[in-house]
Amino acid sequence: MLDPALQSQLRGYLERLDAPIELVAALDDSPTAGEIRELIADLVALSPKVTARELPADAPARRPSFTVGRVGEAARIRFAGVPLGHEFTSLVLALLQTSGYPPKIDDATAAAIRALPDELEVETFVSLSCHNCPDVVQAFNVLAALNPRIRHTMIDGAAFGDEVTARGVMAVPSVFVDGKPFGQGRMVLEEILAKLDRGAAARAAARLDDKPVYDVLVVGGGPAGAAAAIYAARKGIRTGLIAERFGGQVGDTLGIENFISVAYTEGPKLVAALDQHVQAYGVDVTTLQRVEALVPGEGGAPHALRLASGATLRARAVVLAPGAKWREMNVPGEAEYRTRGVAFCPHCDGPLFKGKRVAVIGGGNSGVEAAIDLAGVVGHVTLLEFAGELRADAVLQAKLRSLPNVDVRVNAQTTEVTGDGKTVDGLFYTDRATGERVRLDVAGIFVQIGLVPSTEWLRGAVALSKHGEIVIDDRGATSVPGVFAAGDATTVPFKQIVIAMGDGAKASLGAFEYLIRSGVATTAAATVGA
């Protein structure tokens, strides 16, 4: 099951086990059960601290699956499927944390987890090709490892297709708590804990209100925001970063092949590296908070940022890097069937449509790449492009047209998403060349038509372009003195990771220069010449 490289890697991890671990398998005659049996055998062979046993065929249990628990204790972590691919790290961490190896979280978070009072049965449906799913699986595994009242099961949707259909799972990760829907999509531990701990939001808002004025406060945790925070912190000034989630859209990106000097990486890996770099400079990072309004300071007063939680943060200079979000079609039925057939991540949700007919909306690079990826999983892909020809690179178009289960339709304007009240069953589009209204029967619709800037909350505060982008000059300055901006939410013509990083650094340097010239920041002034 495990190749020599993985075995060597695992052997090193298993040497850190604090207590003996028992793996208990509940198997059947499925191919997945056979793979689980092989995986468990490899784990047992790699460490004397790992033992295993198999439940009798008539014992009640989810099959096929296996639990990870301390010897002599009831197991609280279960894997229903083979946790390899993106979930390999989830398996390793489950083994370590179950044995007593402490998770990498702060003491306050660990205490809040242990204090959760309710008995919780959590199930997370995943695809092994989903790069966002491990964050959710690992977060709930931490909860189960630290709190004996919480049990968590990772479920590979491909291995439990009937259950996926019965429970209406149309996007991953999908989390159920005590059999009821809890959340979909990427979630981090703090976000999950906030939903489970009803008093957490109020306590967090109170703590934020008490924070002193920042010299530079960065709004947004993507590449532009991370770069801005690092450059500001390097100047020795009080620097903060606030974001709904660190990483932004990069966290939803799988393959990155144009990040200069790095031939290939993946979004989650790059986000982890950015986080580590930001933390190394002592930036005060606040996540899971949505900024609702910017109130520019007057007469030298600090700028204020009002949060949805009710708290307010203040800063002498601000760098706006809110990034962008998926552009929606804005047609009837789209919002109703989002996560119920309307999807935006082919890597994450594609496996849920195995053997089915799907549509991809958009003929740029993202749309064509999505269609190529989906063609290897689903039964048939129809790509719809509004313009008269595809806009993707020629090499991608050639690959797309070579696939036997892909149909390309140009001059196609999607006008409606349809469904049976539960899931998508098709769409209508207008042939712009003939005016004909055409029905397309599909089970899934993957929207890949670009991004829109996340700037609605800035209207009236700073100048925006007709496209809603923040208008900036060559130093990243906005129309408001002391407020700078960078990244995909600005008027910069090309939206690329490497450009966002450079512009984040430029905006931060612009903010520092502003602080020095205006004389409003004593900590900044003290670093002149450093």
Side-chain angles (χ1 to χ4, degrees), residues 305-317:
L305 290 161
R306 292 205 304 262
L307 311 184
S309 65
T312 298
L313 296 177
R314 294 170 175 80
R316 298 180 175 92

Side-chain angles (χ1 to χ4, degrees), residues 122-366:
V122 184
E123 301 163 297
T124 302
F125 286 84
V126 307
S127 293
L128 297 182
S129 60
C130 168
H131 53 286
N132 289 324
C133 293
D135 289 340
V136 179
V137 171
Q138 291 162 27
F140 278 108
N141 281 350
V142 167
L143 266 65
L146 295 181
N147 189 321
R149 293 175 290 279
I150 300 174
R151 294 166 297 282
H152 178 234
T153 300
M154 181 215 82
I155 304 170
D156 176 12
F160 291 85
D162 291 343
E163 189 170 355
V164 164
T165 300
R167 298 176 73 167
V169 176
M170 302 294 291
V172 291
S174 282
V175 179
F176 292 79
V177 174
D178 296 334
K180 299 178 181 178
F182 176 83
Q184 287 182 323
R186 185 170 178 263
M187 294 179 281
V188 297
L189 176 60
E190 291 78 8
E191 182 179 1
I192 293 167
L193 185 56
K195 290 184 71 172
L196 294 173
D197 182 356
R198 297 175 183 175
R203 293 195 300 271
R207 289 194 299 269
L208 292 173
D209 262 334
D210 290 338
K211 286 183 178 291
V213 176
Y214 293 98
D215 288 324
V216 171
L217 179 58
V218 180
V219 181
I230 290 169
Y231 265 72
R234 281 176 58 85
K235 296 296 185 181
I237 59 180
R238 176 170 167 74
T239 304
L241 183 152
I242 186 164
E244 288 192 67
R245 62 165 176 154
F246 191 88
Q249 286 285 339
V250 174
D252 298 327
T253 304
L254 188 57
I256 299 172
E257 300 177 306
N258 58 356
F259 188 58
I260 309 306
S261 83
V262 180
Y264 178 83
T265 187
E266 296 180 351
K269 292 181 180 179
L270 180 56
V271 168
L274 290 173
D275 187 23
Q276 185 177 22
H277 200 173
V278 168
Q279 296 290 351
Y281 280 101
V283 175
D284 185 17
V285 177
T286 301
T287 57
L288 307 180
Q289 295 289 335
R290 179 166 55 86
V291 182
E292 282 194 334
L294 166 67
V295 182
E298 297 181 0
H303 304 292
L305 290 161
R306 292 205 304 262
L307 311 184
S309 65
T312 298
L313 296 177
R314 294 170 175 80
R316 298 180 175 92
V318 174
V319 176
L320 302 171
K325 57 189 176 184
W326 293 113
R327 184 185 299 277
E328 298 179 352
M329 297 181 291
N330 292 318
V331 300
E334 179 183 22
E336 179 184 355
Y337 289 102
R338 183 166 183 162
T339 72
R340 295 194 291 163
V342 175
F344 295 84
C345 181
H347 305 293
C348 300
D349 301 331
L352 298 176
F353 297 88
K354 183 177 181 179
K356 298 179 180 180
R357 301 179 70 87
V358 303
V360 172
I361 313 299
N365 283 348
S366 295

Side-chain angles (χ1 to χ4, degrees), residues 264-462:
Y264 178 83
T265 187
E266 296 180 351
K269 292 181 180 179
L270 180 56
V271 168
L274 290 173
D275 187 23
Q276 185 177 22
H277 200 173
V278 168
Q279 296 290 351
Y281 280 101
V283 175
D284 185 17
V285 177
T286 301
T287 57
L288 307 180
Q289 295 289 335
R290 179 166 55 86
V291 182
E292 282 194 334
L294 166 67
V295 182
E298 297 181 0
H303 304 292
L305 290 161
R306 292 205 304 262
L307 311 184
S309 65
T312 298
L313 296 177
R314 294 170 175 80
R316 298 180 175 92
V318 174
V319 176
L320 302 171
K325 57 189 176 184
W326 293 113
R327 184 185 299 277
E328 298 179 352
M329 297 181 291
N330 292 318
V331 300
E334 179 183 22
E336 179 184 355
Y337 289 102
R338 183 166 183 162
T339 72
R340 295 194 291 163
V342 175
F344 295 84
C345 181
H347 305 293
C348 300
D349 301 331
L352 298 176
F353 297 88
K354 183 177 181 179
K356 298 179 180 180
R357 301 179 70 87
V358 303
V360 172
I361 313 299
N365 283 348
S366 295
V368 172
E369 288 174 349
I372 292 170
D373 290 341
L374 288 166
V377 178
V378 304
H380 186 272
V381 180
T382 301
L383 186 145
L384 303 180
E385 163 58 32
F386 179 86
E389 60 183 15
L390 300 184
R391 296 168 287 108
D393 295 341
V395 64
L396 292 175
Q397 292 192 44
K399 173 63 176 177
L400 180 73
R401 296 185 188 281
S402 73
L403 301 173
N405 62 335
V406 175
D407 178 24
V408 176
R409 304 185 188 184
V410 297
N411 285 316
Q413 180 179 3
T414 305
T415 57
E416 183 181 358
V417 173
T418 64
D420 61 5
K422 295 181 179 179
T423 61
V424 163
D425 63 15
L427 62 81
F428 284 99
Y429 72 88
T430 298
D431 186 323
R432 297 174 59 243
T434 66
E436 179 186 4
R437 188 170 190 253
V438 182
R439 164 77 183 183
L440 188 65
D441 294 325
V442 292
I445 301 169
F446 290 83
V447 183
Q448 300 283 294
I449 54 176
L451 303 169
V452 292
S454 300
T455 57
E456 300 92 340
W457 58 281
L458 287 168
R459 294 192 180 279
V462 298

